[in-house]
mmCIF file of all heavy atoms in Angstrom:
data_model
loop_
_atom_site.group_PDB
_atom_site.id
_atom_site.type_symbol
_atom_site.label_atom_id
_atom_site.label_comp_id
_atom_site.label_asym_id
_atom_site.label_seq_id
_atom_site.Cartn_x
_atom_site.Cartn_y
_atom_site.Cartn_z
ATOM 1 N N ALA B 32 3.232 -13.991 12.537
ATOM 2 C CA ALA B 32 4.328 -13.100 12.940
ATOM 3 C C ALA B 32 3.959 -11.652 12.621
ATOM 4 O O ALA B 32 3.180 -11.385 11.704
ATOM 5 C CB ALA B 32 5.616 -13.478 12.207
ATOM 6 N N ILE B 33 4.520 -10.721 13.362
ATOM 7 C CA ILE B 33 4.269 -9.301 13.134
ATOM 8 C C ILE B 33 5.248 -8.785 12.096
ATOM 9 O O ILE B 33 6.461 -8.836 12.283
ATOM 10 C CB ILE B 33 4.398 -8.510 14.446
ATOM 11 C CG1 ILE B 33 3.346 -8.997 15.442
ATOM 12 C CG2 ILE B 33 4.268 -7.011 14.189
ATOM 13 C CD1 ILE B 33 3.478 -8.416 16.817
ATOM 14 N N ASP B 34 4.708 -8.282 10.991
ATOM 15 C CA ASP B 34 5.536 -7.718 9.925
ATOM 16 C C ASP B 34 5.837 -6.246 10.161
ATOM 17 O O ASP B 34 6.898 -5.757 9.801
ATOM 18 C CB ASP B 34 4.829 -7.845 8.568
ATOM 19 C CG ASP B 34 4.881 -9.259 8.023
ATOM 20 O OD1 ASP B 34 5.746 -10.044 8.458
ATOM 21 O OD2 ASP B 34 4.046 -9.584 7.162
ATOM 22 N N ARG B 35 4.870 -5.535 10.750
ATOM 23 C CA ARG B 35 5.022 -4.093 10.908
ATOM 24 C C ARG B 35 4.207 -3.637 12.100
ATOM 25 O O ARG B 35 3.177 -4.229 12.422
ATOM 26 C CB ARG B 35 4.539 -3.391 9.646
ATOM 27 C CG ARG B 35 4.817 -1.916 9.606
ATOM 28 C CD ARG B 35 4.398 -1.338 8.298
ATOM 29 N NE ARG B 35 2.932 -1.276 8.283
ATOM 30 C CZ ARG B 35 2.220 -0.657 7.362
ATOM 31 N NH1 ARG B 35 2.799 -0.080 6.345
ATOM 32 N NH2 ARG B 35 0.917 -0.631 7.426
ATOM 33 N N VAL B 36 4.682 -2.572 12.755
ATOM 34 C CA VAL B 36 3.981 -1.982 13.886
ATOM 35 C C VAL B 36 3.842 -0.493 13.628
ATOM 36 O O VAL B 36 4.806 0.171 13.265
ATOM 37 C CB VAL B 36 4.762 -2.196 15.209
ATOM 38 C CG1 VAL B 36 4.054 -1.542 16.379
ATOM 39 C CG2 VAL B 36 4.995 -3.679 15.468
ATOM 40 N N GLU B 37 2.625 0.033 13.795
ATOM 41 C CA GLU B 37 2.403 1.477 13.710
ATOM 42 C C GLU B 37 1.973 1.971 15.073
ATOM 43 O O GLU B 37 1.108 1.368 15.711
ATOM 44 C CB GLU B 37 1.310 1.805 12.690
ATOM 45 C CG GLU B 37 1.768 1.716 11.270
ATOM 46 C CD GLU B 37 0.714 2.215 10.292
ATOM 47 O OE1 GLU B 37 -0.252 2.886 10.702
ATOM 48 O OE2 GLU B 37 0.873 1.910 9.103
ATOM 49 N N VAL B 38 2.575 3.068 15.530
ATOM 50 C CA VAL B 38 2.193 3.683 16.793
ATOM 51 C C VAL B 38 1.019 4.616 16.513
ATOM 52 O O VAL B 38 1.142 5.558 15.743
ATOM 53 C CB VAL B 38 3.368 4.460 17.421
ATOM 54 C CG1 VAL B 38 2.931 5.133 18.717
ATOM 55 C CG2 VAL B 38 4.547 3.531 17.674
ATOM 56 N N LEU B 39 -0.140 4.342 17.140
ATOM 57 C CA LEU B 39 -1.325 5.173 16.972
ATOM 58 C C LEU B 39 -1.386 6.269 18.030
ATOM 59 O O LEU B 39 -1.793 7.389 17.754
ATOM 60 C CB LEU B 39 -2.583 4.311 17.040
ATOM 61 C CG LEU B 39 -2.652 3.157 16.042
ATOM 62 C CD1 LEU B 39 -3.890 2.310 16.303
ATOM 63 C CD2 LEU B 39 -2.645 3.680 14.611
ATOM 64 N N GLU B 40 -1.032 5.940 19.241
ATOM 65 C CA GLU B 40 -0.989 6.896 20.357
ATOM 66 C C GLU B 40 0.162 6.514 21.261
ATOM 67 O O GLU B 40 0.465 5.339 21.397
ATOM 68 C CB GLU B 40 -2.288 6.848 21.164
ATOM 69 C CG GLU B 40 -3.482 7.400 20.436
ATOM 70 C CD GLU B 40 -4.737 7.365 21.295
ATOM 71 O OE1 GLU B 40 -4.616 7.321 22.541
ATOM 72 O OE2 GLU B 40 -5.820 7.385 20.731
ATOM 73 N N PRO B 41 0.817 7.432 21.905
ATOM 74 C CA PRO B 41 0.558 8.867 21.834
ATOM 75 C C PRO B 41 0.997 9.426 20.492
ATOM 76 O O PRO B 41 1.963 8.939 19.890
ATOM 77 C CB PRO B 41 1.375 9.449 22.974
ATOM 78 C CG PRO B 41 2.459 8.466 23.228
ATOM 79 C CD PRO B 41 1.912 7.126 22.819
ATOM 80 N N GLU B 42 0.251 10.433 20.020
ATOM 81 C CA GLU B 42 0.570 11.050 18.741
ATOM 82 C C GLU B 42 1.975 11.631 18.777
ATOM 83 O O GLU B 42 2.408 12.181 19.779
ATOM 84 C CB GLU B 42 -0.450 12.147 18.414
ATOM 85 C CG GLU B 42 -1.804 11.581 18.048
ATOM 86 C CD GLU B 42 -2.765 12.650 17.611
ATOM 87 O OE1 GLU B 42 -2.323 13.710 17.148
ATOM 88 O OE2 GLU B 42 -3.972 12.404 17.742
ATOM 89 N N GLY B 43 2.669 11.488 17.675
ATOM 90 C CA GLY B 43 4.016 12.033 17.578
ATOM 91 C C GLY B 43 5.085 11.158 18.207
ATOM 92 O O GLY B 43 6.251 11.497 18.188
ATOM 93 N N ALA B 44 4.691 10.009 18.765
ATOM 94 C CA ALA B 44 5.675 9.114 19.371
ATOM 95 C C ALA B 44 6.530 8.495 18.274
ATOM 96 O O ALA B 44 6.038 8.168 17.198
ATOM 97 C CB ALA B 44 4.987 8.020 20.174
ATOM 98 N N ALA B 45 7.788 8.349 18.552
ATOM 99 C CA ALA B 45 8.701 7.736 17.581
ATOM 100 C C ALA B 45 8.348 6.268 17.409
ATOM 101 O O ALA B 45 8.007 5.585 18.370
ATOM 102 C CB ALA B 45 10.140 7.882 18.049
#
Side-chain angles (χ1 to χ4, degrees):
I33 298 173
D34 284 340
R35 188 176 74 170
V36 178
E37 283 187 15
V38 178
L39 304 175
E40 290 182 22
E42 288 185 25

